[in-house]
Amino acid sequence: MQQKRGYAGLDWFRIAAALLVISIHTSPLASWSDTADFVLTRVVARVAVPFFLMVTGFFVLPKLVGGAPGRRAALLSFLRKTGILYLVSVLLFVPLNLYQGEYTGARGVVLFVRDFLFNGTAYHLWYLPAVLLGVLVLYGLLTKLGWKPVLLICAALYLIGLGGDSYYGFVENVPVVGQAYAALFRVFPYTRNGLFLAPMFLALGGALREREVRSRAVCFGGLAVSFALMTAEALTLRHLGVQRHDSMYVFLLPVMLFLFSSLLLVRRDAGARGRWLRELCLYVYLVHPLCIIGVRGVAKMLHCTDLLVEQSFVHFVLVALLSFAVCWVFLWLRDRACAALRGGDTPLAGREGAPAGALPVPSPRGRAWVEVSLANLRHNYRTLRALLPEDCDILAIAKANAYGCGDARVCRALWEEGVRTFAVATLSEGVALRRQGIGGEILILGYTSPQDLPVVAAYDLSQAIPDVQYAREVQRAGVRVRAHVAIDTGMHRLGERAGSLDALLEIYATGCLDVRGTFSHLCVADCLDEDNDAYTRAQIEAFRQAVEALRAHGVQPGRLHLLNSYGMLNYPQAAWQGARPGITLYGVKSQAGETRLTPALRPVMAVRARVALVRRLETGEDAGYGRNFTAQRPTDTAIVSIGYADGIPRSLSAGEAYVLVRGQRARIIGNVCMDQLTIDVTGIEAVCPGDVVTLIGEDGGQTLAAETLAGYAGTITNELLCRMGPRLPRLYDEEEKREA
Ligand SMILES: *Cc1c(COP(=O)(O)O)cnc(C)c1O
């Protein structure tokens, strides 16, 4: 199981891309062969900038597609960060501009503005205005259009760019077209800019995020073939002498598609080192021209330009070494300074937002953790779905962090299975899911303060309406929200009374409510004794009658849903158009006991922790807070690194409850502490520090079910699972397809 799969392929390729950019500006092979240098710097190295653009598209564009929540904020944040970087870079190169006597006089101002907007004020800086403009262009396009038309438009722009770049000789003298390019070049010195080049590669990166190429053979084969074709294309164009510039080729597109896809196949997590690499390579990109000047200056001073500059490969190596060294030292000093500012030698690893550098991170299975089987979740979904009629769909209950299993990952997996409606308990849960890119309908089952209704609307959430009073509040707030009306059929929690027809009619007539559904909730569907069975049947009948009465008054109640997990297992005939299973999706029942239907569900969650130490207690010795355990005989105990702060109920103290270690049962003794608990391992062979203890799940053929542990704790599995705390890392059996 992996906790999080990074993009190690992309991270590591940055080093290659940075070296390629340096090679473009130092021509390493020039003193050996012109053609070899052309192939290296004008063909191979031309993948570098498109690669950086695709990385940006891959990570940034998904946040900017039309309808994505918070897309404006995401755009502004990107523009701000990149803009600041650009301004700092421009300032960094001002001395060079002055030294070279650029931008002087009135004409100089015009040129400066032009370069600042499109071309960069130093020869390599064009990348930053290009990525800024390109992202703006795509933001505009993606507002209304899907990926296919956007890719087509970007390809058309790229085609125009080609005409002004490698293919210029062909169009230069075509009537109208040649003049159009001449006019174009009065504004942009080159077409490899934010309008004609950047959008294509940004869009390609963004589209790959939507749909990866998974086959190794296709990726590597495609890369080899398209690369050969690009080399042939470039050499031919060079031979014909038609190139005005040499940044853009037709076959650069398939080369980048297959190169990027190949890199995506390497999905280890580069961890904190990944972030550090990203920064290092970016800075190398930005400062290497200064290092070129530095190397040349030193060579001159030492009177050995013959060796250090004229030998182009030596020159390249020196510039590359100097660039990486300078940026490395800069990052190291910066992390040091940050550490000092944050208070002495406090390590920075793991602090969100802190420059973690290459510091190591805690291993996810170091102390205590939760394992989540999305495969079992998918199985449970399919199994439960099969219990329902064709026209009835599942509203997946993902409240309380999806019963402790991790709501975004759970919703994503269920989305892939076809679920399009999710339910949460609170507004912030709904907002968090949207921010992590969960689409479809998200219904808030619990209370939302009327003053937060604009948030409900902004994130396109649906709100359950608990009574007519609340409907009036919505009307007063004047915010139009999508809603499901809750009807109380006997639980007497949230919901307008099934018998209060006037109140119900007023809710549906509320102008600000866009009612999409109507539901009720069962409170004893798990109890099959005569009395409770009759109560549930009465609830179902009350719901039916209320809906009928509403319809008789011309009301459209929308989608009808009633059944929770036990409703599905015991009263599947009352399905209507939706069912809301929670605990059964996660593969367990609330407690041991009979149900009418007995589908084969598989537990989704396992909980495990490490043994910290093993200690023998002599007869009469006490252990733990309150000395709640006294050894009646020599007893081998183990301290387990998990406690009630992690979600293990304190009510498991000193009772019959047991855990599994080395495939055997070991009783919990003494009081459960905040961060530890003690078990009796007498008679279990060779228990030692670091051993894995299973609190929920399987170990060596033995199973400790959540129902069993919940029973010992005097609670139900719903509470047990949803209380598993944020301190426990969640480890999933499937790799993450997209970064949250
Ligand atoms: C929590 C909840 C559910 C799911 O209940 P389970 O017993 O876990 O299936 C369904 N409907 C509503 C309104 C809920 O609050």
Side-chain angles (χ1 to χ4, degrees):
M1 293 203 183
Q2 295 89 16
Q3 184 184 24
K4 184 174 161 221
R5 299 278 293 205
Y7 292 96
L10 298 184
D11 287 338
W12 287 107
F13 192 76
R14 284 166 208 266
I15 297 181
L19 287 172
L20 287 175
V21 170
I22 296 178
S23 82
I24 295 177
H25 300 139
T26 52
S27 292
L29 306 181
S31 32
W32 173 50
S33 147
D34 261 357
T35 307
D37 190 63
F38 177 82
V39 172
L40 173 63
T41 63
R42 312 291 128 166
V43 186
V44 179
R46 286 315 186 193
V47 305
V49 168
F51 166 77
F52 286 123
L53 288 167
M54 285 180 78
V55 171
T56 303
F58 188 79
F59 289 110
V60 175
L61 288 189
K63 299 180 204 154
L64 304 184
V65 294
R71 67 190 290 258
R72 239 185 101 83
L75 174 74
L76 292 179
S77 147
F78 175 80
L79 294 181
R80 194 180 54 240
K81 272 192 214 153
T82 313
I84 290 174
L85 191 68
Y86 184 35
L87 288 180
V88 171
S89 310
V90 166
L91 287 177
L92 194 64
F93 282 89
V94 160
L96 191 65
N97 298 143
L98 292 178
Y99 175 75
Q100 298 186 335
E102 293 167 319
Y103 308 127
T104 47
R107 170 118 185 96
V109 175
V110 176
L111 278 181
F112 181 83
V113 171
R114 183 193 76 170
D115 282 350
F116 183 76
L117 288 180
F118 300 113
N119 200 38
T121 56
Y123 57 81
H124 67 306
L125 283 185
W126 68 274
Y127 171 74
L128 289 169
V131 76
L132 285 166
L133 181 59
V135 165
L136 271 173
V137 167
L138 278 161
Y139 180 81
L141 290 176
L142 288 169
T143 304
K144 286 269 176 313
L145 303 174
W147 281 111
K148 265 203 194 124
V150 166
L151 282 168
L152 279 176
I153 293 173
C154 294
L157 290 169
Y158 188 78
L159 206 64
I160 299 176
L162 272 177
D165 198 272
S166 289
Y167 284 78
Y168 187 58
F170 293 125
V171 299
E172 191 178 12
N173 297 321
V174 177
V176 189
V177 180
Q179 281 138 16
Y181 274 106
L184 206 67
F185 288 132
R186 256 177 255 132
V187 188
F188 318 108
Y190 300 103
T191 50
R192 55 108 172 91
N193 60 22
L195 204 51
F196 301 116
L197 177 122
M200 182 74 253
F201 293 109
L202 287 166
L204 212 52
L208 275 180
R209 184 71 176 267
E210 296 287 308
R211 196 170 169 165
E212 290 172 22
V213 182
R214 285 302 185 83
S215 150
R216 249 160 229 278
V218 171
C219 289
F220 298 161
L223 181 59
V225 171
S226 53
F227 188 77
L229 288 169
M230 179 168 86
T231 311
E233 180 191 10
L235 288 171
T236 310
L237 293 170
R238 177 174 181 243
H239 179 73
L240 295 174
V242 292
Q243 291 182 293
R244 179 175 184 274
H245 192 251
D246 42 35
S247 281
M248 304 169 77
Y249 300 106
V250 173
F251 285 103
L252 183 56
L253 296 180
V255 165
M256 290 315 299
L257 177 70
F258 292 119
L259 173 65
F260 204 85
S261 302
S262 306
L263 295 172
L264 284 180
L265 295 174
V266 185
R267 290 295 307 277
R268 269 175 307 104
D269 187 9
R273 197 168 287 127
R275 193 174 352 147
W276 192 79
L277 266 181
R278 291 197 274 279
E279 279 196 282
L280 180 71
C281 293
L282 176 67
Y283 292 149
V284 166
Y285 183 95
L286 293 176
V287 307
H288 75 274
L290 295 177
C291 297
I292 295 181
I293 298 174
V295 168
R296 284 170 182 261
V298 170
K300 230 181 217 160
M301 265 165 35
L302 299 177
H303 300 291
C304 35
T305 39
D306 279 357
L307 174 67
L308 303 185
V309 178
E310 300 307 324
Q311 284 298 325
S312 59
F313 193 76
V314 177
H315 181 226
F316 161 77
V317 171
L318 288 176
V319 170
L321 284 177
L322 183 64
S323 303
F324 274 91
V326 164
C327 295
W328 191 303
V329 169
F330 169 74
L331 279 175
W332 185 79
L333 285 175
R334 190 199 61 182
D335 289 355
R336 273 295 156 118
C338 287
L341 284 176
R342 276 157 193 277
D345 49 7
T346 326
L348 295 162
R351 282 209 204 162
E352 211 43 57
L359 294 176
V361 295
S363 59
R365 287 188 187 74
R367 175 187 169 263
W369 65 96
V370 166
E371 290 168 9
V372 177
S373 167
L374 295 176
N376 287 0
L377 176 78
R378 292 173 193 273
H379 164 89
N380 297 334
Y381 167 74
R382 289 178 200 158
T383 308
L384 291 169
R385 179 67 188 77
L387 304 180
L388 297 170
E390 202 51 47
D391 59 345
C392 174
D393 273 323
I394 281 179
L395 292 80
I397 304 288
K399 59 190 177 187
N401 197 24
Y403 289 52
C405 294
D407 52 8
R409 293 299 302 268
V410 160
C411 289
R412 241 172 257 151
L414 290 173
W415 177 279
E416 286 169 8
E417 296 296 319
V419 175
R420 291 296 176 266
T421 316
F422 303 95
V424 293
T426 73
L427 173 59
S428 52
E429 288 175 343
V431 168
L433 284 179
R434 283 285 191 242
R435 288 197 167 170
Q436 292 175 88
I438 304 301
E441 183 172 14
I442 300 181
L443 171 62
I444 303 168
L445 294 166
Y447 175 75
T448 299
S449 165
Q451 76 193 31
D452 279 338
L453 287 167
V455 186
V456 176
Y459 281 90
D460 207 16
L461 303 170
S462 304
Q463 175 61 47
I465 307 301
D467 65 352
V468 67
Q469 201 59 46
Y470 192 84
R472 289 177 192 149
E473 295 274 5
V474 177
Q475 191 62 25
R476 202 165 304 139
V479 182
R480 191 166 165 76
V481 291
R482 208 178 306 137
H484 286 226
V485 177
I487 296 186
D488 173 25
T489 51
M491 182 170 181
H492 304 323
R493 194 174 64 176
L494 300 183
E496 186 57 61
R497 277 182 185 273
S500 310
L501 186 59
D502 287 344
L504 283 173
L505 287 172
E506 185 182 335
I507 296 177
Y508 289 91
T510 303
C512 277
L513 292 183
D514 172 13
V515 177
R516 296 297 176 89
T518 299
F519 72 103
S520 186
H521 196 42
L522 302 174
C523 54
V524 282
D526 54 331
C527 306
L528 293 176
D529 62 281
E530 206 175 311
D531 183 33
N532 283 316
D533 188 39
Y535 198 90
T536 302
R537 290 181 193 284
Q539 278 196 280
I540 295 170
E541 181 56 19
F543 187 63
R544 196 189 61 73
Q545 284 184 8
V547 169
E548 207 160 90
L550 287 166
R551 287 210 171 113
H553 282 79
V555 166
Q556 298 289 338
R559 196 169 163 198
L560 304 175
H561 46 102
L562 174 65
L563 303 178
N564 56 359
S565 290
Y566 277 95
M568 285 183 69
L569 297 182
N570 289 330
Y571 304 91
Q573 71 280 6
W576 280 287
Q577 292 92 43
R580 303 187 307 271
I583 194 68
T584 44
L585 267 181
Y586 305 100
V588 292
K589 293 179 183 174
S590 297
Q591 56 214 349
E594 297 295 304
T595 50
R596 292 201 174 102
L597 299 180
T598 51
L601 302 172
R602 300 178 187 161
V604 170
M605 181 192 278
V607 179
R608 306 191 204 274
R610 298 273 177 196
V611 168
L613 64 80
V614 179
R615 166 180 287 127
R616 161 159 294 202
L617 297 185
E618 300 306 334
T619 307
E621 281 192 303
D622 300 330
Y625 285 123
R627 300 165 58 198
N628 206 359
F629 174 81
T630 306
Q632 304 300 325
R633 52 184 161 80
T635 306
D636 291 323
T637 66
I639 308 298
V640 185
S641 298
I642 193 166
Y644 59 76
D646 301 293
I648 304 302
R650 191 168 179 275
S651 54
L652 292 173
S653 301
E656 294 298 308
Y658 62 89
V659 299
L660 300 176
V661 56
R662 295 195 169 253
Q664 298 187 55
R665 295 180 177 194
R667 217 161 52 81
I668 296 175
I669 58 174
N671 283 345
V672 173
C673 311
M674 188 182 281
D675 317 304
Q676 283 95 18
L677 52 83
T678 307
I679 56 176
D680 180 349
V681 294
T682 312
I684 303 178
E685 275 301 292
V687 177
C688 54
D691 275 3
V692 175
V693 172
T694 299
L695 294 107
I696 298 176
E698 281 182 41
D699 179 27
Q702 280 259 11
T703 302
L704 174 43
E707 288 92 334
T708 308
L709 199 70
Y712 284 125
T715 182
I716 56 175
T717 56
N718 308 47
E719 179 181 3
L720 187 67
L721 299 196
C722 80
R723 284 223 181 165
M724 289 306 152
R727 222 159 67 169
L728 302 177
R730 266 60 172 178
L731 308 178
Y732 296 89
D733 59 341
E734 293 176 5
E735 68 173 72
E736 176 89 288
K737 291 211 191 74
R738 15 172 99 204
E739 270 196 350

